[in-house]
Amino acid sequence: MMEIEDIIAEKIIARTKGLIPYDINVMNKQGIVVASTDASRVGREHQGARWVIEHQESVTVDLADTRFLAGAKPGVNLPIEYQGNCIGVVGITGDPDRVCELGALLKMTAELLVEQSREKDAALQLRIEKENCIKQLLQGQLDETEACAQLKKLQLSLRLPALCVTMKPAYPPRMMQQKLDLTPALELALNGLFCFNSDASLSFILDANANVTAKIAETGRLLGQPFKTGIGATVTAYSTLALSQATASAALQFGLVELDSVSGDASATLDSNSYYYDSHKEKIIISSIAKGWHLSELTKEYRALCAQDANGALRLTLQTLMSSSIDMSSCAQQLNIHRNTLRNRLEKIQDITGVDYKKLDQLFRLYLGKIILD
């Protein structure tokens, strides 16, 4: 059975003590005073309240009645009702002839506070369920059938194709402090398709056919602070949203690393730059798996080339050769140079790096270094 909580009882006292110039008490369904403007009465039994609960109606207590009702004082006691059930009792202490007229106001205020609290609790519970659903989708814990059922149950509209976005704020502590205040606005802006992560980043799902840039900008304005954004791959099934989320996180990490590497400027801060996975796919994938000595090995030839290519002509030649599918004629034409000049440049690259440009595997390794470092 539903019963008034102590915290709601205390809110009733706090809201009404300034309106009613008499002591006010709130009792639970056992007839125990759980909140009162008279602290000495808290925790005591109130038989008048028990009578109200048993009979589901108000009772007026005069001075004579107090001899027969333990814990009662002159005044009026009224049932606090919610959805047709009595969940507690509220009472005013004083001369019944004076306080009875205030009873309706006190009862209405108490029941309004109870209803507001229940609605807030229900909204919070629904938000928790939605967030759990989104997290399960982003972690790949739901198959297509389960995802459809969960989305329908929670009345979440998710159109396909879709993509995931992760936003990292410049000031994570502020983000966590504002989480509850941000939630209603984000609910409207993102149709409920969002969740907060443990690192204070925000992840959400967007219709891939929508104006993604505008939606990110709108969300950024709600956050009210600089941020970095990773946009994942577009997917066509609920069950593959985890892939989009993983690529969004990788794109975000790529953006953060790029920021750290900008001229070592200690004053640099996060801004509103967005990194699309599809725009940096090769670099993001390689960077995510090339760590430590692997990274050093993959980039050492290209680092040697950079050190001896002040004007960038050799690096441009490498880039053009790869983009022309290793077609020497096409490469020379694009560079507007003679084939012999192209050959001389490639031989110079070979002398600097030790890479035989006629061997595709070696040339590709050199190009991987360019992808990672440039």
Side-chain angles (χ1 to χ4, degrees):
M1 293 289 288
M2 195 177 299
E3 183 170 5
I4 194 164
E5 299 93 340
D6 291 0
I7 190 170
I8 303 302
E10 291 168 0
K11 283 184 179 179
I12 292 172
I13 296 298
R15 293 288 182 89
T16 57
K17 67 180 180 181
L19 301 174
I20 298 175
Y22 298 96
D23 278 333
I24 303 166
N25 310 297
V26 180
M27 285 69 72
N28 61 20
K29 291 182 69 174
Q30 287 70 50
I32 304 299
V33 179
V34 292
S36 175
T37 52
D38 179 0
S40 67
R41 301 193 70 182
V42 175
R44 293 186 178 182
E45 182 182 8
H46 193 299
Q47 287 195 350
R50 296 189 66 175
W51 191 95
V52 172
I53 293 166
E54 290 173 7
H55 296 83
Q56 305 281 299
E57 60 183 40
S58 303
V59 62
T60 300
V61 179
D62 57 27
L63 186 60
D65 293 330
T66 60
R67 293 177 297 169
F68 308 104
L69 298 171
K73 291 184 178 183
V76 60
N77 298 287
L78 309 99
I80 301 173
E81 296 177 297
Y82 179 72
Q83 294 183 344
N85 297 309
C86 177
I87 64 171
V89 178
V90 65
I92 311 176
T93 301
D95 183 348
D97 292 336
R98 295 187 177 185
V99 300
C100 281
E101 294 182 359
L102 298 172
L105 172 62
L106 180 59
K107 175 179 170 66
M108 180 180 67
T109 303
E111 290 176 349
L112 180 60
L113 288 172
V114 169
E115 185 173 355
Q116 289 177 341
S117 177
R118 298 293 185 187
E119 289 177 353
K120 185 176 180 180
D121 289 345
L124 179 60
Q125 182 59 39
L126 179 59
R127 178 62 243 162
I128 291 172
E129 290 180 11
K130 286 182 178 180
E131 187 156 319
N132 287 339
C133 175
I134 300 304
K135 286 182 177 178
Q136 287 179 312
L137 281 172
L138 300 185
Q139 293 168 8
Q141 297 176 354
L142 301 176
D143 61 27
E144 206 70 12
T145 302
E146 292 169 333
C148 289
Q150 286 275 44
L151 293 169
K152 183 177 180 180
K153 173 187 174 184
L154 297 171
Q155 296 184 324
L156 290 171
S157 177
L158 176 51
R159 298 181 63 181
L160 296 171
L163 55 80
C164 296
V165 178
T166 295
M167 300 179 74
K168 181 77 172 181
Y171 312 109
R174 188 201 302 175
M175 175 84 144
M176 298 312 291
Q177 291 170 0
Q178 296 175 327
K179 179 178 176 180
L180 289 178
D181 294 332
L182 286 169
T183 295
L186 290 172
E187 189 79 33
L188 291 173
L190 301 172
N191 299 318
L193 301 172
F194 69 94
C195 65
F196 291 94
N197 303 312
S198 58
D199 63 352
S201 62
L202 174 71
S203 292
F204 52 94
I205 307 170
L206 295 179
D207 177 352
N209 294 319
N211 189 330
V212 174
T213 301
K215 187 63 72 171
I216 290 172
E218 178 186 357
T219 306
R221 284 192 292 271
L222 293 176
L223 298 186
Q225 61 172 300
F227 57 89
K228 205 78 169 179
T229 307
I231 299 96
T234 298
V235 295
T236 57
Y238 299 139
S239 56
T240 55
L241 281 166
L243 169 63
S244 185
Q245 172 62 11
T247 53
S249 297
L252 174 61
Q253 186 58 39
F254 168 75
L256 294 174
V257 171
E258 287 285 296
L259 180 68
D260 289 340
S261 65
V262 175
S263 69
D265 184 1
S267 65
T269 59
L270 287 172
D271 57 22
S272 299
N273 289 337
S274 296
Y275 284 84
Y276 283 79
Y277 169 75
D278 287 340
S279 300
H280 305 276
K281 185 182 296 187
E282 294 82 4
K283 193 166 186 176
I284 290 172
I285 293 174
I286 295 168
S287 297
S288 67
I289 59 177
K291 309 290 183 183
W293 70 267
H294 300 90
L295 179 62
S296 177
E297 282 295 296
L298 281 174
T299 60
K300 67 179 182 180
E301 291 93 353
Y302 190 69
R303 282 186 280 113
L305 180 62
C306 292
Q308 298 188 50
D309 184 30
N311 63 7
L314 298 180
R315 281 169 284 174
L316 176 61
T317 300
L318 173 64
Q319 169 70 39
T320 308
L321 181 66
M322 296 301 291
S323 64
S324 62
S325 303
I326 326 296
D327 185 319
M328 299 284 283
S329 297
S330 175
C331 180
Q333 186 176 8
Q334 290 182 49
L335 291 170
N336 197 27
I337 59 176
H338 194 275
R339 284 192 61 170
N340 290 338
T341 303
L342 173 59
R343 187 173 292 104
N344 289 337
R345 288 188 184 181
L346 293 175
E347 288 175 354
K348 188 172 182 180
I349 291 174
Q350 182 170 319
D351 291 340
I352 293 171
T353 64
V355 169
D356 186 345
Y357 69 89
K358 299 184 187 70
K359 295 183 177 179
L360 184 58
D361 58 338
Q362 293 187 27
L363 187 62
F364 181 66
R365 188 174 69 250
L366 179 62
Y367 188 63
L368 280 180
K370 174 177 174 58
I371 291 175
I372 295 170
L373 295 179
D374 284 354

Short mmCIF file of all heavy atoms in Angstrom, two decimals, residues 307-329:
data_model
loop_
_atom_site.label_atom_id
_atom_site.label_comp_id
_atom_site.label_asym_id
_atom_site.label_seq_id
_atom_site.Cartn_x
_atom_site.Cartn_y
_atom_site.Cartn_z
N ALA A 307 62.06 14.83 -42.33
CA ALA A 307 63.24 15.55 -41.85
C ALA A 307 64.09 16.10 -43.00
O ALA A 307 64.84 17.07 -42.81
CB ALA A 307 64.08 14.63 -40.97
N GLN A 308 63.99 15.48 -44.20
CA GLN A 308 64.82 15.91 -45.33
C GLN A 308 63.98 16.41 -46.51
O GLN A 308 64.44 16.37 -47.65
CB GLN A 308 65.73 14.76 -45.76
CG GLN A 308 66.71 14.31 -44.66
CD GLN A 308 67.73 13.32 -45.18
OE1 GLN A 308 68.37 13.54 -46.21
NE2 GLN A 308 67.88 12.20 -44.46
N ASP A 309 62.78 16.85 -46.22
CA ASP A 309 61.90 17.34 -47.30
C ASP A 309 61.32 18.69 -46.88
O ASP A 309 60.12 18.83 -46.63
CB ASP A 309 60.78 16.32 -47.54
CG ASP A 309 59.86 16.69 -48.69
OD1 ASP A 309 60.33 17.36 -49.63
OD2 ASP A 309 58.66 16.34 -48.62
N ALA A 310 62.20 19.69 -46.83
CA ALA A 310 61.82 21.01 -46.31
C ALA A 310 60.67 21.64 -47.09
O ALA A 310 59.77 22.25 -46.50
CB ALA A 310 63.04 21.93 -46.32
N ASN A 311 60.68 21.52 -48.41
CA ASN A 311 59.64 22.18 -49.20
C ASN A 311 58.42 21.30 -49.46
O ASN A 311 57.44 21.74 -50.09
CB ASN A 311 60.20 22.69 -50.53
CG ASN A 311 60.70 21.54 -51.42
OD1 ASN A 311 60.51 20.36 -51.11
ND2 ASN A 311 61.36 21.89 -52.52
N GLY A 312 58.43 20.05 -48.98
CA GLY A 312 57.27 19.17 -49.10
C GLY A 312 57.08 18.53 -50.45
O GLY A 312 56.10 17.81 -50.67
N ALA A 313 58.02 18.74 -51.39
CA ALA A 313 57.86 18.20 -52.75
C ALA A 313 57.84 16.68 -52.77
O ALA A 313 57.07 16.06 -53.52
CB ALA A 313 58.97 18.73 -53.65
N LEU A 314 58.68 16.06 -51.95
CA LEU A 314 58.74 14.59 -51.94
C LEU A 314 57.48 13.99 -51.32
O LEU A 314 56.97 12.97 -51.79
CB LEU A 314 59.99 14.13 -51.18
CG LEU A 314 61.33 14.58 -51.78
CD1 LEU A 314 62.49 14.06 -50.93
CD2 LEU A 314 61.47 14.10 -53.22
N ARG A 315 56.96 14.63 -50.28
CA ARG A 315 55.73 14.13 -49.66
C ARG A 315 54.54 14.30 -50.60
O ARG A 315 53.66 13.43 -50.66
CB ARG A 315 55.47 14.87 -48.34
CG ARG A 315 56.33 14.35 -47.18
CD ARG A 315 56.26 15.25 -45.97
NE ARG A 315 57.07 16.47 -46.19
CZ ARG A 315 57.10 17.49 -45.34
NH1 ARG A 315 56.37 17.46 -44.24
NH2 ARG A 315 57.86 18.54 -45.60
N LEU A 316 54.51 15.41 -51.34
CA LEU A 316 53.44 15.60 -52.33
C LEU A 316 53.54 14.53 -53.42
O LEU A 316 52.53 14.00 -53.89
CB LEU A 316 53.54 17.00 -52.94
CG LEU A 316 52.54 17.30 -54.07
CD1 LEU A 316 51.11 17.20 -53.56
CD2 LEU A 316 52.82 18.68 -54.66
N THR A 317 54.77 14.19 -53.80
CA THR A 317 54.97 13.16 -54.82
C THR A 317 54.44 11.82 -54.33
O THR A 317 53.76 11.08 -55.08
CB THR A 317 56.47 13.04 -55.16
OG1 THR A 317 56.93 14.29 -55.67
CG2 THR A 317 56.70 11.95 -56.20
N LEU A 318 54.74 11.48 -53.07
CA LEU A 318 54.25 10.23 -52.49
C LEU A 318 52.72 10.22 -52.46
O LEU A 318 52.09 9.22 -52.86
CB LEU A 318 54.79 10.06 -51.07
CG LEU A 318 54.23 8.89 -50.26
CD1 LEU A 318 54.60 7.56 -50.90
CD2 LEU A 318 54.72 8.95 -48.81
N GLN A 319 52.14 11.32 -52.01
CA GLN A 319 50.68 11.42 -51.94
C GLN A 319 50.04 11.24 -53.33
O GLN A 319 49.08 10.49 -53.49
CB GLN A 319 50.29 12.80 -51.37
CG GLN A 319 48.81 13.15 -51.47
CD GLN A 319 47.94 12.31 -50.56
OE1 GLN A 319 48.32 12.01 -49.43
NE2 GLN A 319 46.77 11.90 -51.04
N THR A 320 50.61 11.90 -54.31
CA THR A 320 50.05 11.84 -55.68
C THR A 320 50.22 10.46 -56.28
O THR A 320 49.32 9.95 -56.97
CB THR A 320 50.73 12.90 -56.56
OG1 THR A 320 50.67 14.18 -55.93
CG2 THR A 320 50.06 12.97 -57.92
N LEU A 321 51.34 9.82 -56.02
CA LEU A 321 51.57 8.48 -56.54
C LEU A 321 50.53 7.50 -56.00
O LEU A 321 49.98 6.69 -56.75
CB LEU A 321 52.99 8.01 -56.18
CG LEU A 321 53.39 6.62 -56.69
CD1 LEU A 321 53.46 6.62 -58.22
CD2 LEU A 321 54.72 6.18 -56.09
N MET A 322 50.24 7.59 -54.71
CA MET A 322 49.26 6.68 -54.11
C MET A 322 47.85 7.00 -54.62
O MET A 322 47.07 6.08 -54.90
CB MET A 322 49.31 6.80 -52.58
CG MET A 322 50.63 6.36 -51.97
SD MET A 322 51.09 4.63 -52.34
CE MET A 322 49.86 3.75 -51.39
N SER A 323 47.52 8.28 -54.74
CA SER A 323 46.17 8.65 -55.19
C SER A 323 45.95 8.31 -56.66
O SER A 323 44.80 8.19 -57.10
CB SER A 323 45.92 10.13 -54.95
OG SER A 323 46.79 10.93 -55.72
N SER A 324 47.05 8.14 -57.41
CA SER A 324 46.92 7.77 -58.83
C SER A 324 47.07 6.27 -59.04
O SER A 324 47.32 5.81 -60.16
CB SER A 324 47.97 8.53 -59.65
OG SER A 324 49.28 8.17 -59.23
N SER A 325 46.94 5.50 -57.93
CA SER A 325 47.00 4.03 -58.00
C SER A 325 48.34 3.54 -58.54
O SER A 325 48.40 2.59 -59.33
CB SER A 325 45.85 3.47 -58.83
OG SER A 325 44.60 3.89 -58.31
N ILE A 326 49.42 4.18 -58.18
CA ILE A 326 50.81 3.84 -58.56
C ILE A 326 50.99 3.89 -60.08
O ILE A 326 51.82 3.17 -60.65
CB ILE A 326 51.22 2.45 -58.00
CG1 ILE A 326 50.57 2.18 -56.64
CG2 ILE A 326 52.74 2.36 -57.86
CD1 ILE A 326 51.00 3.09 -55.54
N ASP A 327 50.20 4.69 -60.75
CA ASP A 327 50.33 4.87 -62.20
C ASP A 327 51.31 6.02 -62.45
O ASP A 327 50.99 7.19 -62.22
CB ASP A 327 48.95 5.20 -62.79
CG ASP A 327 48.99 5.27 -64.32
OD1 ASP A 327 49.96 5.82 -64.86
OD2 ASP A 327 48.03 4.78 -64.94
N MET A 328 52.51 5.68 -62.95
CA MET A 328 53.58 6.67 -63.10
C MET A 328 53.18 7.78 -64.07
O MET A 328 53.43 8.97 -63.81
CB MET A 328 54.86 5.99 -63.59
CG MET A 328 55.41 4.93 -62.64
SD MET A 328 56.22 5.63 -61.21
CE MET A 328 57.79 6.14 -61.95
N SER A 329 52.56 7.44 -65.17
CA SER A 329 52.17 8.44 -66.17
C SER A 329 51.15 9.42 -65.57
O SER A 329 51.26 10.64 -65.72
CB SER A 329 51.59 7.77 -67.41
OG SER A 329 52.56 6.97 -68.05
#
